[in-house]
Amino acid sequence: MTSARRYFTDYLGMMLSLALLILIFSLGNKRFFSINTLLAISNQVPVLAVMVVGMTFVLVIGGIDLSVGSVMALCGSVLGTALTGWHWPLAPALVLALVSGLAFGAINGALAVFARVPSFIVTLGTMEIARGFAYLVTDSRTKYIGNAIEALGPALSMGISLGGVSTVVSVVLGQIGLSRTVFGRYAVGIGTSEETMRISGIDTRSTKIAVFAISGFLAAWASILYCARLEAADPNAGAGLELQVIAAAVIGGASPLGGHGSVVKSFLGVLILAVLNYGLAQIGASEPTKRIIIGAAIIASVALDLYRNRPAGHPRIDF
Amino acid sequence: MALGKFLRSLLLVAVLLAPVSRLSALPERRRPVIALIMKSLANEFFLTMEEGAKEHQARNAARYELITRGIKDEGDVEQQIRIVEQMIAIRVDAIVLAPADSEALVPICRAAAGAHILVVNIDNRLDASALAEKGLRVPYSGPNNVEGAREVGDYLAARLEPGDKVAIVEGVPTAQNSKDRTRGFSEAMETAGMRIVDVVSGYWEMESANAAAITIMSEFPDIKAILCGNDNMALGVVAAINAAGRSGRILVTGFDDISAATKLLKQDKLLVTADQHGDRIAVAGIETALAILGGSPPADRETSIDLVTK
């Protein structure tokens, strides 16, 4: 199979799974196929979609970022405290939140590169550290932001929301960055064989740090979407969110062993998870049932992916 | 190498035992030591509780010594059991416990009683049948959540017309205080003749409650009020109502009176919340413990819940 064709079947396969899920839920509950469902799902997708872009890059270089949920909570806490506690105007508060995320991500990358601690361990540590800082910044209290963040409110105009724009921009830029730039090629190269890259005289360190920094930055971006939607900052936000983000990327075919992944397919993974989540709730599945089904779906989709790609192919990036 | 390792572990043991030795090294321990064991200190409610207890101790320094402990997150039952074990090991005189689980903490309470350590239950009531099975009697100090929720419901009912549609966003469905509040809300609404069209769980969280409110509003466009099991969830519900452009047309009630709720009340986005006085709950538990240690018979204490409006 040529890679172009394989790309096409992969992509089509995911679209079909998504369509099939929608069909099943629509048959299961008359109310599912409606504008309300679309609204409810589109309300929850942006936070995950923005974060999955960063996670795809991290997985492509063969790393993992467990800190994104906590970093999101920290950046939201910084934003909320800057707005309500220190009475900063919106713009500098947003910048501070984004810089915090970028810095945290860069620290993750630097520790993984210079201290040579595996990113799994580094981000396991920073997951706790970021959460701790989030509690410190907010004094463990939920901050109600209200009007100070209304400018970023639910709909900018003509039904175009900040969340929707962020989703499209991050997915498109992310995919172009991964498949059409030198940076993306380096990222894939690192995930495939870092040694080869080094022997070829390429400094892989800066690319790796940049990838983690991007992941942190996007977690901060997601925190802005979260705070704008809820008009509040919660230091407990995003607990366990990293696992949902990783699950979405993995459903989208990103390999935890590095070397391949596609931003667009990770985004489809987010959609599949969101539809599953909402659809199961609507047909009356209980919380335990939902968890069991979603867990099985994650494993099944990866098993299927591995099965279809049996002949050891070359590393690839799909679009 | 081996010696280094040995010295290191010795150091570790010393560090771990330091707080214990400080306690036992006190000159003749006349003042009783009371351990206040709470749920997550990342939750504002328990933070208030801890502050209240510390203040009380500072004012009554001659009467007792206080140790306060919290767990990392609400669901970490095992960690809370370990903390109780530690407190038994250092032989405190009384344990004032806000259990993370109404049943799972019963066996360790039995162990504490076996070691002649007094246990007082606060905040979330231990399961009566589990206590009976272990032959334990544990005094309880805390609020009556059913009653508090009923008051919130009555306050809301006065602003609605009989037959109006309302929904309840409750906490973790298995938690006793969540069940109690839902019961109180339901009783008040039914008495006043409202129609409860939906009871969904927001798991005490802002985001789940936000999603739940969006679903409720789409399924019941003529919904008139949403009663929330805590203020965090009320924040999420209020944001959902704002986003739908229906601010002011759907009434929202909360519970707990966290600081973020104050602003919502001022802006008329939240109708009412209830203050359970976390600080008073801890103090009531400590006073109960001191009274029993002083020879009084064990007795339950009910602490007050007050409605908070604009």
Side-chain angles (χ1 to χ4, degrees):
Chain A
M1 228 188 323
T2 67
S3 77
R5 227 182 105 198
R6 187 157 62 185
Y7 139 69
F8 188 70
T9 53
D10 272 5
Y11 190 72
L12 201 69
M14 289 194 70
M15 294 294 275
L16 278 177
S17 324
L18 194 57
L20 193 68
L21 280 177
I22 294 174
L23 182 71
I24 293 172
F25 289 129
S26 303
L27 291 176
N29 184 327
K30 275 174 284 177
R31 275 204 300 248
F32 182 81
F33 199 79
S34 68
I35 191 82
N36 286 328
T37 303
L38 187 68
L39 282 177
I41 289 179
S42 63
N43 197 27
Q44 332 230 316
V45 159
V47 165
L48 279 173
V50 168
M51 284 163 80
V52 89
V53 175
M55 189 62 79
T56 306
F57 274 90
V58 173
L59 290 172
V60 162
I61 65 166
I64 198 155
D65 188 349
L66 297 174
S67 69
V68 288
S70 298
V71 170
M72 187 193 91
L74 169 62
C75 296
S77 301
V78 167
L79 178 62
T81 308
L83 287 171
T84 62
W86 313 330
H87 303 287
W88 283 25
L90 186 57
L94 291 175
V95 171
L96 183 68
L98 290 172
V99 168
S100 312
L102 188 73
F104 233 92
I107 291 170
N108 277 339
L111 284 171
V113 167
F114 296 115
R116 295 179 186 230
V117 182
S119 58
F120 178 83
I121 309 291
V122 170
T123 57
L124 191 64
T126 51
M127 172 168 94
E128 288 295 299
I129 295 171
R131 185 67 66 184
F133 275 124
Y135 290 142
L136 268 185
V137 171
T138 55
D139 200 11
S140 298
R141 285 164 163 80
T142 300
K143 300 275 178 198
Y144 172 65
I145 305 175
N147 295 343
I149 203 163
E150 223 169 39
L152 303 179
L156 295 182
S157 64
M158 297 182 299
I160 302 168
S161 69
L162 180 68
V165 173
S166 303
T167 304
V168 173
V169 170
S170 59
V171 171
V172 170
L173 285 185
Q175 186 63 58
I176 292 174
L178 185 59
S179 55
R180 295 278 183 275
T181 65
V182 176
F183 176 73
R185 290 284 156 191
Y186 280 6
V188 175
I190 291 170
T192 313
S193 170
E194 195 176 352
E195 203 46 43
T196 314
M197 298 281 289
R198 263 204 295 262
I199 292 166
S200 320
I202 294 162
D203 181 13
T204 57
R205 292 175 299 184
S206 55
T207 305
K208 285 174 89 172
I209 295 175
V211 164
F212 280 98
I214 289 171
S215 181
F217 178 81
L218 290 174
W221 192 275
S223 80
I224 294 173
L225 301 179
Y226 182 94
C227 292
R229 178 156 68 84
L230 297 169
E231 292 179 18
D234 176 6
N236 289 307
L241 199 62
E242 57 281 344
L243 299 182
Q244 285 185 49
V245 176
I246 293 167
V250 165
I251 287 178
S255 164
L257 302 174
H260 61 98
S262 146
V263 172
V264 172
K265 278 169 43 188
S266 294
F267 172 61
L268 286 177
V270 169
L271 290 182
I272 288 178
L273 274 184
V275 167
L276 255 181
N277 236 319
Y278 193 79
L280 285 171
Q282 269 218 340
I283 59 170
S286 67
E287 192 64 25
T289 321
K290 252 168 68 182
R291 288 187 164 214
I292 292 167
I293 293 178
I294 289 174
I298 294 168
I299 298 174
S301 69
V302 175
L304 195 70
D305 197 43
L306 288 174
Y307 177 76
R308 286 194 304 125
N309 297 319
R310 263 164 316 168
H314 352 232
R316 64 212 167 82
I317 355 141
D318 306 327
F319 189 57
Chain B
M1 181 77 179
L3 186 68
K5 213 169 180 180
F6 172 73
L7 283 177
R8 250 205 324 239
S9 32
L10 202 66
L11 187 70
L12 188 70
V13 169
V15 168
L16 286 176
L17 288 182
V20 183
S21 58
R22 198 165 49 84
L23 269 181
S24 50
L26 286 168
E28 305 159 53
R29 215 173 72 191
R30 268 181 256 105
R31 295 179 300 170
V33 178
I34 296 180
L36 172 64
I37 303 175
M38 291 157 290
K39 292 200 256 177
S40 172
L41 291 180
N43 178 338
E44 189 175 334
F45 179 70
F46 292 103
L47 220 55
T48 313
M49 186 179 273
E50 188 185 32
E51 281 162 13
K54 284 186 170 163
E55 237 166 66
H56 181 263
Q57 197 274 336
R59 276 185 280 111
N60 297 279
R63 290 171 67 201
Y64 72 103
E65 246 183 86
L66 179 71
I67 301 174
T68 61
R69 290 280 187 278
I71 52 179
K72 202 171 97 186
D73 63 74
E74 307 268 306
D76 203 343
V77 175
E78 206 195 318
Q79 197 196 352
Q80 199 178 38
I81 293 174
R82 277 204 304 275
I83 294 174
V84 178
E85 278 169 354
Q86 283 170 18
M87 294 302 128
I88 297 174
I90 64 171
R91 309 212 56 81
V92 295
D93 296 278
I95 292 172
V96 176
L97 174 71
D101 188 290
S102 300
E103 292 176 15
L105 268 295
V106 170
I108 192 70
C109 289
R110 169 70 194 274
H116 303 290
I117 292 170
L118 171 68
V119 179
V120 176
N121 176 202
I122 58 168
D123 177 47
N124 178 28
R125 205 173 196 136
L126 288 168
D127 186 71
S129 58
L131 285 175
E133 193 190 298
K134 294 272 174 197
L136 267 182
R137 193 175 146 16
V138 176
Y140 171 78
S141 297
N144 183 334
N145 276 297
V146 181
E147 194 50 48
R150 195 182 291 127
E151 282 177 36
V152 169
D154 288 342
Y155 187 86
L156 169 68
R159 278 145 194 85
L160 296 173
E161 299 292 327
D164 278 351
K165 289 183 182 170
V166 301
I168 297 173
V169 178
E170 64 174 2
V172 174
T174 51
Q176 190 58 46
N177 48 357
S178 173
K179 285 183 204 167
D180 287 350
R181 287 176 202 173
T182 302
R183 205 181 109 203
F185 290 150
S186 307
E187 284 174 6
M189 288 296 105
E190 276 156 18
T191 314
M194 308 303 158
R195 280 185 56 201
I196 301 172
V197 290
D198 213 351
V199 179
V200 287
S201 177
Y203 298 91
W204 300 130
E205 292 164 5
M206 189 159 64
E207 189 164 24
S208 308
N210 182 267
I214 290 169
T215 313
I216 291 171
M217 285 189 290
S218 74
E219 286 183 28
F220 308 100
D222 52 345
I223 191 93
K224 287 291 191 307
I226 301 178
L227 299 103
C228 305
N230 75 0
D231 283 345
N232 240 350
M233 296 195 291
L235 281 170
V237 169
V238 165
I241 293 172
N242 275 355
R246 302 179 61 184
S247 206
R249 276 176 285 162
I250 301 175
L251 299 174
V252 182
T253 68
F255 213 94
D256 279 353
D257 190 32
I258 64 174
S259 50
T262 316
K263 286 193 196 167
L264 283 184
L265 287 169
K266 271 193 204 136
Q267 297 176 3
D268 284 321
K269 287 176 175 169
L270 185 67
L271 178 68
V272 60
T273 183
D275 189 354
Q276 310 182 64
H277 305 289
D279 45 350
R280 289 189 211 162
I281 296 174
V283 169
I286 290 168
E287 287 290 357
T288 304
L290 287 172
I292 299 170
L293 289 174
S296 310
D300 289 354
R301 271 179 211 228
E302 195 166 287
T303 59
S304 57
I305 294 183
D306 296 322
L307 293 190
V308 182
T309 57
K310 190 158 67 160

